[in-house]
Amino acid sequence: MAGGTKPGRGGSGRTTIADVATLAGVSPSAVSKIVNGKGSFPEATRERVRRAAAQLNWTPSAAAVALRGARTRAIGMIAGRDPDLLNSDPYFTLLIAGIESELAPRDYGLLLHIVGEEPGAEERAYRRLADERRVDAVILTESRVGDGRFALLRTLGLPAVLVGTPWQPDPVPTVQAAGQEQGLTEAVDHLVALGHRRIAYVGGPEDRVHTGYRRQVFLDALRRRGLSPSHLLTSDFAGHTTGEVVTEVLGREDAPTAIVFAGDMMALAGVSAARRLGVDVPGGLSVVGHDDLPVGRMLHPRLTTVRQDLAQLGRAAALDLLGRLGEEGVDRETVVAPPRLVVRESTAPPP
Amino acid sequence: MAGGTKPGRGGSGRTTIADVATLAGVSPSAVSKIVNGKGSFPEATRERVRRAAAQLNWTPSAAAVALRGARTRAIGMIAGRDPDLLNSDPYFTLLIAGIESELAPRDYGLLLHIVGEEPGAEERAYRRLADERRVDAVILTESRVGDGRFALLRTLGLPAVLVGTPWQPDPVPTVQAAGQEQGLTEAVDHLVALGHRRIAYVGGPEDRVHTGYRRQVFLDALRRRGLSPSHLLTSDFAGHTTGEVVTEVLGREDAPTAIVFAGDMMALAGVSAARRLGVDVPGGLSVVGHDDLPVGRMLHPRLTTVRQDLAQLGRAAALDLLGRLGEEGVDRETVVAPPRLVVRESTAPPP
DNA sequence: CTGAAAGCGCTAACAA
DNA sequence: TTGTTAGCGCTTTCAG
C-alpha cells in the first residue's frame, strides 16, 4: 500500500495529484480525468475530487503537463525593436493588453521577449522558444518587407498568427482590420473637404510592410480627388526624427497646409515642430495622426487621427491562436473594425 | 544495447538528450553534466558533445528541466492595472525593457500577466504562477498602501523583488534609486530660484505608496525654503482627470504660478489644460513632470521633469532576482542612480 | 572519471 | 466505470 505519500507534508514537498487522489479516495488518473473533464464519473465522485483539489489548493504543475502533453499554455511574443523605440510608442502595450485580456481568463500566459534589432537576435529568440518548447504558439507583429519569420516558424513547426498586413499573400494566418484603407481615405477626404490642396505625408520606416501600404492608400485617395501629394516624407515611428523632417518641409516655398502622419507620436512631434516655427495648429497647419493613442486626447489641440483598435487586434490574434490550438469555446469570428477617422481639433481649413 | 534511439528520426519525435549522447558516443548523463558544466571531462569529450548538440540543434526541453529541477528560467510579472490605464503610461514598457535586457541574454523568459484592478484578480494570478510552478520568481511594481502581496508571496514561497518604495520597511527585497528625494527636491529648488512662491502639487492615486512619499518630499523641500504649498491636488496617473483638476485650480484667485506633477502624462495633460485657458507655458505657468518619458522631449515646450531611469530600475530588479536564484556571474551591486531634475523648456520665472 | 538507474508530476493506454 | 502502468526528457545520486 502506498501509505508513504501523505498529503500536506509540512509544506516541504509540493502538493501533487496523488495527494488529491488520496484525500478524495480515488486514483490519480481519476483526478486527472475529472479535472480535465475527460471520462464520465458519477457526480458525487467529481464533486469529491473538486473539493479535495480546492482544499489542498492544488493546481496541475505546468511543467509536468507540458512535458507530458505538449501544451505549455503559453503564447510567445517577440518584439524585435530597440528598447528605445519600443518605449516611445505605446503600440505594443495596447496590443499586449488586448492579447492578455483573452489569454488570462483561459489561464494562458504570455511570454514576452524584447530583443534588439540586431539581425540574428530575433531569429535566435524564435528558435529558442521552439526548441525549448516554451510556448504553444507565437504572435507576430510589425510585418516587415522580406520577412523571413514565416518560413522560420513553419520550419520550427510553431503555430503563429500575424497582426497586421502580411508581406506576401497568405504566408501565415493573419489578423487585420477589415477595410484597412478606410481610415486614411477618410482622412484625405476630410482634409480635401476642408479646402486643403497641398497635403504631405510622413510615413514610417521603409522596411515595414504597412509603411508602403499606407502610403499607397494615401496616394490613391489623393488621386481620386484629382490631387497629387505635396511631399512624401519618412521618419521613425518614435518621432525622434520627425521634428527635423517637418521643420524642413515647412520652410519650403511650397509648404503643405496639411500633413498626414503614419503614427500619433510622429504627429505629436510634428505639431511641436510647427509650433516651434511659429506655425499654429490647426490655424496654419492641419495635422492628422494614426492609431489614436491615449496621449492624443490629452494634448492641445486634441489630435485628429485614424483610430485603430489595437486592443481589439490583440484580442482577435489571441482568439485565433487559441482556436487554432484547439481550445474549447473560442469564438474566432471576431471581426476587427476598420480604422476610422476621428476628427478632433488639429484639423481646420487652410490659412 | 539501446540501438532503438536513432537521432534525427525524420522530424517526428523531438531531438532529445539521448540523440546527442548517441551521436557523441557518450551517455545521456555525460551530456547533461557537460552542458551544465558540472562534472570534469576531458576537453576532447566536451568538445565532441558540444559539437553534437550544435549539429542536432538541441536545446534542453524547458518543461523537462522544470519538472526535474525546479528552475523554469522564467520570471513573472503581474500588472494589476486596468488595461486602459496601462496604455496611457509607458511606465511598464520602460521597466520591462530594462528587465528583459538582463533576462534575455541569460535565456530567462518574462511571463507577463495583465489583470484588471478587481480585488481578487491579482492575488489569483500570483497563486497560479506559484501553484503551477510557472516561474522561479516575480517582480513586483507599484507598491500599494497595505500591500498584501508580500505576505502572499512569502506564503507561496515565491522569491520576489519590489521595484519602488516599500509600504513597510523590509517586507520584501526592494530595488530603488538611491536618494529618492533628490529629483523632486531639485525641482522645488529650481522653481523657488526662478522666483516662484505659489507652487502647487498634483499627486497620483492615494493608494500608491509613492504618492504619499513624493508628496512628503515635496512638502519638505518647500518648507525648507520657508514656503507652504499653494495647492495639493490629486489625479489619476494616466492624466485623464488632470485637465479638470488643473483647470479648476487655475481659475482660482490664488492660482499657482508653478505646478509640480507626479508623472509626465499628468504634466502633459496639465500643460494642455493651461493652454486651453489661454495660459502660456512657461510664460504664465511653469510645469514640472516626473519620469522623463520620451514623449516629454517631443513636445513644445519640452518638459522640465524629474528623470527616473526606469530601464535601469528594471535591470537592477532582474539582476537582483537572478542573483537570488543563484545565477552565476551576476553583478548585483548595480547602483540605481537617483532621480534628477532635467531642466528643459516648461519652467521659467513667474509672470 | 564515467554510466546506469531512479524518478520529478502528470496523463493516456491498457487491464480489471 | 475505475485503477494500474508506463513513460514524456531531463538530472543526479550511486555503483562500476
Side-chain angles (χ1 to χ4, degrees):
Chain A
M1 255 234 203
T5 315
K6 290 245 187 66
R9 182 111 75 70
S12 132
R14 156 181 172 67
T15 316
T16 81
I17 197 172
D19 300 327
V20 178
T22 307
L23 181 59
V26 295
S27 78
S29 60
V31 176
S32 171
K33 281 172 194 152
I34 288 170
V35 166
N36 295 313
K38 288 290 168 62
S40 59
F41 293 81
E43 184 52 34
T45 312
R46 312 173 67 103
E47 185 51 31
R48 207 143 30 84
V49 167
R50 267 193 295 262
R51 215 192 302 280
Q55 187 179 327
L56 265 48
N57 215 302
W58 173 81
T59 320
S61 146
V65 172
L67 179 56
R68 189 74 243 293
R71 0 186 283 281
T72 59
R73 291 188 95 80
I75 302 291
M77 187 165 165
I78 292 171
R81 277 205 200 184
D82 275 332
D84 183 55
L85 265 175
L86 233 190
N87 302 339
S88 318
D89 184 349
Y91 173 89
F92 271 100
T93 324
L94 284 160
L95 206 58
I96 289 174
I99 293 168
E100 263 291 311
S101 71
E102 296 296 342
L103 295 189
R106 295 179 177 79
D107 193 28
Y108 267 74
L110 181 69
L111 195 62
L112 187 68
H113 271 291
I114 298 176
V115 301
E117 289 186 343
E118 315 89 70
E122 212 175 328
E123 177 172 336
R124 262 202 311 281
Y126 283 112
R127 286 214 123 86
R128 271 238 154 70
L129 247 34
D131 291 344
E132 298 183 356
R133 291 273 192 280
R134 265 184 186 281
V135 297
D136 295 334
V138 294
I139 292 179
L140 264 33
T141 64
E142 299 208 297
S143 184
R144 290 191 286 276
V145 176
D147 211 318
R149 293 178 294 173
F150 316 129
L152 173 63
L153 289 167
R154 194 160 293 163
T155 306
L156 295 174
L158 205 54
V161 65
L162 171 71
V163 177
T165 316
W167 167 52
Q168 288 178 328
D170 190 37
V172 77
T174 299
V175 168
Q176 54 185 329
Q180 289 278 338
E181 65 299 333
Q182 189 165 337
L184 211 44
T185 303
E186 286 174 357
V188 169
D189 290 352
H190 167 65
L191 290 171
V192 171
L194 284 171
H196 291 275
R197 291 300 173 265
R198 293 202 307 281
I199 307 177
Y201 182 76
V202 182
E206 292 295 337
D207 65 329
R208 300 295 196 266
V209 171
H210 73 240
T211 295
Y213 177 79
R214 286 186 191 171
R215 188 177 43 215
Q216 196 52 52
V217 170
F218 171 79
L219 291 174
D220 289 348
L222 220 48
R223 185 167 305 127
R224 212 169 296 130
R225 297 286 165 175
L227 295 172
S228 56
S230 148
H231 305 269
L232 284 179
L233 307 164
T234 291
S235 173
D236 67 304
F237 271 116
H240 292 314
T241 63
T242 308
E244 304 158 28
V245 169
V246 169
T247 302
E248 199 275 325
V249 78
L250 287 182
R252 293 194 194 168
E253 187 66 33
D254 60 343
T257 61
I259 307 182
V260 176
F261 291 87
D264 279 351
M265 294 308 280
M266 298 163 75
L268 185 160
V271 170
S272 298
R275 188 171 290 151
R276 217 170 281 277
L277 292 173
V279 176
D280 180 54
V281 175
L285 176 75
S286 285
V287 166
V288 178
H290 200 287
D291 286 355
D292 191 24
L293 301 182
V295 67
R297 266 162 280 172
M298 301 190 321
L299 297 173
H300 177 73
R302 280 185 263 266
L303 201 59
T304 293
T305 191
V306 174
R307 166 177 300 167
Q308 179 163 225
D309 194 337
L310 293 170
Q312 200 191 355
L313 270 173
R315 283 197 300 275
L319 288 173
D320 183 273
L321 233 33
L322 254 13
R324 215 174 286 279
L325 292 173
E327 199 65 14
E328 306 280 319
V330 173
D331 183 14
R332 279 173 68 190
E333 304 183 71
T334 312
V335 174
V336 178
R340 299 297 301 266
L341 181 69
V342 180
V343 178
R344 289 204 270 251
E345 304 166 351
S346 65
T347 45
Chain B
M1 255 222 189
T5 316
K6 290 244 185 68
R9 183 111 74 68
S12 134
R14 157 183 172 67
T15 317
T16 80
I17 197 172
D19 300 328
V20 178
T22 308
L23 181 60
V26 295
S27 76
S29 56
V31 175
S32 171
K33 281 171 193 152
I34 289 170
V35 166
N36 296 313
K38 287 291 169 60
S40 58
F41 293 80
E43 184 50 34
T45 312
R46 312 174 66 104
E47 186 50 31
R48 209 143 28 83
V49 166
R50 268 193 295 261
R51 215 192 302 282
Q55 187 179 326
L56 264 49
N57 214 302
W58 174 81
T59 321
S61 147
V65 172
L67 179 55
R68 188 72 246 286
R71 1 187 280 284
T72 58
R73 290 188 97 78
I75 302 290
M77 187 165 165
I78 291 171
R81 277 206 202 185
D82 275 332
D84 182 56
L85 265 174
L86 234 187
N87 301 341
S88 318
D89 184 348
Y91 173 88
F92 271 101
T93 324
L94 284 160
L95 206 59
I96 289 173
I99 294 168
E100 262 291 311
S101 72
E102 296 296 342
L103 295 189
R106 295 180 176 80
D107 193 29
Y108 266 74
L110 181 69
L111 195 63
L112 188 67
H113 270 291
I114 298 177
V115 302
E117 288 186 343
E118 315 90 70
E122 212 175 328
E123 177 171 336
R124 261 201 313 281
Y126 283 113
R127 285 214 124 86
R128 271 237 155 72
L129 247 34
D131 292 344
E132 298 182 355
R133 289 274 192 278
R134 265 184 185 282
V135 297
D136 296 334
V138 294
I139 292 178
L140 264 34
T141 64
E142 299 209 295
S143 183
R144 290 193 286 278
V145 176
D147 211 318
R149 293 179 294 171
F150 315 130
L152 174 63
L153 289 167
R154 192 160 296 161
T155 306
L156 296 174
L158 205 54
V161 65
L162 171 72
V163 177
T165 316
W167 166 53
Q168 287 180 328
D170 190 37
V172 76
T174 299
V175 168
Q176 54 185 330
Q180 290 278 339
E181 66 298 335
Q182 190 164 339
L184 211 44
T185 302
E186 286 174 358
V188 169
D189 290 351
H190 167 64
L191 291 172
V192 171
L194 284 172
H196 291 275
R197 292 298 173 266
R198 292 202 308 282
I199 307 177
Y201 182 76
V202 182
E206 292 295 337
D207 65 329
R208 299 296 196 268
V209 171
H210 73 239
T211 295
Y213 178 79
R214 286 186 192 170
R215 187 178 42 215
Q216 195 52 52
V217 171
F218 171 79
L219 291 174
D220 290 348
L222 219 47
R223 186 165 306 130
R224 212 171 296 129
R225 296 287 166 176
L227 296 173
S228 55
S230 147
H231 305 270
L232 285 179
L233 306 163
T234 292
S235 172
D236 66 305
F237 270 117
H240 293 313
T241 63
T242 308
E244 304 157 27
V245 169
V246 169
T247 302
E248 199 275 324
V249 78
L250 287 183
R252 294 193 194 170
E253 188 66 32
D254 60 342
T257 62
I259 308 182
V260 176
F261 291 87
D264 279 351
M265 295 308 280
M266 296 164 75
L268 184 162
V271 170
S272 300
R275 190 171 288 149
R276 217 169 280 277
L277 292 173
V279 176
D280 180 53
V281 175
L285 176 75
S286 285
V287 167
V288 178
H290 199 287
D291 287 355
D292 191 24
L293 301 181
V295 67
R297 266 162 280 174
M298 300 190 320
L299 297 173
H300 177 71
R302 281 185 262 267
L303 202 58
T304 293
T305 190
V306 174
R307 165 177 300 166
Q308 180 164 223
D309 194 336
L310 294 170
Q312 198 190 358
L313 270 173
R315 283 198 300 276
L319 288 173
D320 182 273
L321 233 34
L322 255 12
R324 215 173 287 280
L325 293 173
E327 199 65 14
E328 306 279 318
V330 173
D331 182 14
R332 279 174 67 191
E333 304 183 72
T334 312
V335 175
V336 178
R340 299 296 302 265
L341 180 69
V342 181
V343 177
R344 288 204 271 251
E345 303 166 353
S346 65
T347 45

